[in-house]
Amino acid sequence: MAEPARADSARDGVATDGAAPGAAKLEAAAPRPDGLDLARIREDFPILKRKVRGERLVYLDSAATTQKPQMVLDAIQHYYTTSNANVHRAIHTLGEEATEAYEGVRDKVGALLGGVDRRGVVFTRNATESLNLMAYAWARPRLARGDEILITEMEHHSNLVPWLEAARVTGASIKVIPITDEGLLDQAAFHELLNHRTKILAFSHKSNVLGTVNPVREMTKAAHDVGALVVVDGAQAAPHLPVDLCELDVDAYALSAHKMLGPTGVGVLWAKREILEEMDPFLGGGEMIREVHLDRVSFNDVPWKFEAGTPNIAGVIGFGAAIDYLQELGIERLHRHEAELTVYARERLQEIQGLTVYGPSEISRGGGVVTFYDRDVHPHDLSTILDTYGVAIRAGHHCAQPLMRRLGVVATARASFYCYNGRDDVDALIDALRKCREYFGHES
């Protein structure tokens, strides 16, 4: 596989009651936050001023969706109140302003992902649609019986279902890389499963449950050595880690704006340009065409041949403002802040009886989320009671049912962090967990 071109020329718990798969020990403290002014950052997020059931909102569900800073909200409003027009079509002032703002975000995405070619940036609705685009437009026309798709046991359903369906309709086979008891991908099993029949390797850069950061560059090189295409779900990594796609050399990478301070309804598929050129369009209609006759059609250049119809213009412009905000914060500083907070959360969770926390033992190989199981209280009950104290966490299977089965549970509870979270949020979580256990008559 050819390496991606840059526009101008970082990769990768605590168990208090047993060695469940994915459970881990805390090994070392992460560095203290470097340069994040938490009080100022919180002022940028209007929603953090509200009360929930009379309590301060403690939002610990950013792995599901992040809150939005005022500058993102302002960018969306500014578009609608000053430059509302369709993009690419109109030859008037509003249309030209809208197009310039919309297309400018393509450059920002390319810069965020390591300076990759803007022509590889396809706007979609979310990471799910981006992964489906690869499964439908690249995989289905090219797979046949005897071919293999290699996925992992820790995948979100968004990076499972499209490949399961592609295998079903083409006759290809699914092979699964297992995880170790510590919550890491089993690299020995990966290399054993990888062979000349492997046509696609699809895996997450970072697990939405375990927080595990996978060795993307190393796995990609091994897959390319056997001629496989590499598709990476970056929905959980792009908001938290420096991502250099030129260094990682993946063939396709998916992300969602709403998980990185942007609005909902906007995603990105970045793929190497030669791969996009090979692919037929996923959707047909306006804008993705070059010329239409009653008996034939020719398609637009990439990336526009994959962006049929009127896009989410305001959402993309809002995403551009979110990228500006993240770039100003600094992804490296944000990552260090989250690592410190994750270590602190795991230390505090050790104080509570009956909890198992899942994830890798080395903080450098994970972070940003703490997923845990209370042997005495169902995760849904935990979440419900915590909400009465203003603490918002996620409870359920986290769209990762095969991983839940591997961990031996039906559901878990998950707290996830972002730039607006601090130790006071972790303390609020711990206090609420104690009260929850007391409510159900258990020691804490």
Side-chain angles (χ1 to χ4, degrees):
M1 299 291 178
E3 291 191 4
R6 294 185 188 268
D8 298 325
S9 80
R11 255 150 336 253
D12 356 295
V14 180
T16 59
D17 68 339
K25 297 182 194 176
L26 185 65
E27 290 194 347
R32 299 284 301 175
D34 177 16
L36 287 190
D37 185 342
L38 192 57
R40 183 193 66 77
I41 289 170
R42 285 176 172 172
E43 285 297 314
D44 293 336
F45 292 82
I47 199 169
L48 298 182
K49 295 178 174 63
R50 73 161 293 181
K51 301 282 188 179
V52 173
R53 304 180 187 273
E55 302 285 345
R56 175 179 76 90
L57 172 61
V58 178
Y59 187 76
L60 297 173
D61 196 18
S62 290
T65 194
T66 56
Q67 298 303 336
K68 319 307 173 192
Q70 187 64 51
M71 67 182 288
V72 170
L73 305 177
D74 289 345
I76 295 170
Q77 183 182 38
H78 184 266
Y79 161 73
Y80 277 127
T81 56
T82 67
S83 304
N84 181 37
N86 217 327
V87 293
H88 302 139
R89 299 173 178 84
I91 309 175
H92 55 67
T93 297
L94 297 187
E96 290 176 351
E97 289 177 352
T99 299
E100 182 179 2
Y102 177 86
E103 286 297 326
V105 180
R106 227 182 285 273
D107 295 309
K108 293 181 181 182
V109 173
L112 182 72
L113 297 179
V116 290
D117 186 353
R118 73 186 304 275
R119 297 285 288 272
V121 176
V122 179
F123 289 123
T124 62
R125 290 183 304 160
N126 43 49
T128 300
E129 185 173 287
S130 299
L131 295 164
N132 273 273
L133 172 53
M134 289 302 300
Y136 275 82
W138 194 92
R140 289 193 181 203
R142 291 167 177 80
L143 293 177
R145 192 170 300 279
D147 292 337
E148 295 178 357
I149 304 170
L150 191 53
I151 59 176
T152 88
E153 200 171 26
M154 66 170 61
E155 295 309 306
H156 188 283
H157 295 164
S158 295
N159 205 30
L160 281 175
V161 176
W163 307 114
L164 293 173
E165 285 297 285
R168 182 182 63 82
V169 300
T170 62
S173 300
I174 296 287
K175 301 296 181 180
V176 182
I177 306 167
I179 65 168
T180 67
D181 285 346
E182 196 181 10
L184 303 173
L185 287 181
D186 187 329
Q187 292 299 309
F190 162 61
H191 288 286
E192 184 175 340
L193 290 166
L194 189 66
N195 61 75
H196 69 278
R197 294 184 298 277
T198 307
K199 301 305 178 186
I200 297 170
L201 168 63
F203 68 105
S204 57
H205 192 162
K206 177 182 177 183
S207 168
N208 71 309
V209 176
L210 302 172
T212 306
V213 179
N214 291 313
V216 176
R217 172 64 183 175
E218 293 79 2
M219 293 178 67
T220 296
K221 184 181 185 305
H224 284 171
D225 286 345
V226 300
L229 186 88
V230 178
V231 181
V232 175
D233 176 2
Q236 294 295 331
H240 305 279
L241 305 171
V243 176
D244 186 339
L245 295 184
C246 294
E247 169 65 22
L248 298 180
D249 194 29
V250 303
D251 300 303
Y253 196 88
L255 59 87
S256 283
H258 75 97
K259 294 184 186 293
M260 46 199 309
L261 305 181
T264 57
V266 177
V268 168
L269 170 69
W270 182 86
K272 292 178 179 176
R273 188 170 171 183
E274 65 270 21
I275 292 171
L276 293 176
E277 296 282 7
E278 292 175 6
M279 292 162 51
D280 289 329
F282 183 34
L283 299 171
E287 181 56 28
M288 47 74 64
I289 55 87
R290 183 181 303 281
E291 194 171 282
V292 175
H293 299 267
L294 291 177
D295 61 347
R296 66 189 185 279
V297 59
S298 59
F299 299 120
N300 204 344
D301 297 329
V302 299
W304 301 283
K305 78 172 181 178
F306 298 106
E307 296 178 9
T310 299
N312 184 355
I313 304 167
V316 169
I317 291 171
F319 183 34
I323 293 174
D324 291 342
Y325 191 95
L326 287 172
Q327 296 283 43
E328 182 181 348
L329 281 183
I331 299 294
E332 286 277 12
R333 288 190 297 169
L334 174 59
H335 176 58
R336 288 194 293 269
H337 172 73
E338 291 179 337
E340 187 274 342
L341 205 55
T342 302
V343 169
Y344 180 66
R346 289 172 172 173
E347 289 173 345
R348 293 299 317 274
L349 285 166
Q350 282 183 310
E351 301 171 6
I352 300 178
Q353 296 186 31
L355 292 188
T356 299
V357 178
Y358 302 98
S361 58
E362 296 178 21
I363 195 62
S364 63
R365 306 181 78 168
V369 301
V370 284
T371 295
F372 55 95
Y373 182 79
D374 188 321
R375 67 188 178 197
D376 300 312
V377 184
H378 192 280
H380 291 169
D381 293 329
L382 277 178
S383 182
T384 300
I385 299 298
L386 263 58
D387 184 62
T388 65
Y389 298 101
V391 179
I393 65 167
R394 180 56 56 112
H397 54 65
H398 314 294
C399 293
Q401 289 180 319
L403 179 56
M404 293 296 108
R405 295 188 187 99
R406 171 66 173 92
L407 300 180
V409 296
V410 175
T412 58
R414 183 188 70 192
S416 51
F417 312 118
Y418 213 41
C419 59
Y420 35 70
N421 294 122
R423 290 189 172 210
D424 57 341
D425 293 326
V426 174
D427 293 339
L429 168 67
I430 299 302
D431 290 345
L433 285 172
R434 291 186 186 280
K435 292 173 182 176
C436 179
R437 287 185 58 81
E438 291 169 5
Y439 177 83
F440 285 102
H442 303 297
E443 294 184 7
S444 59

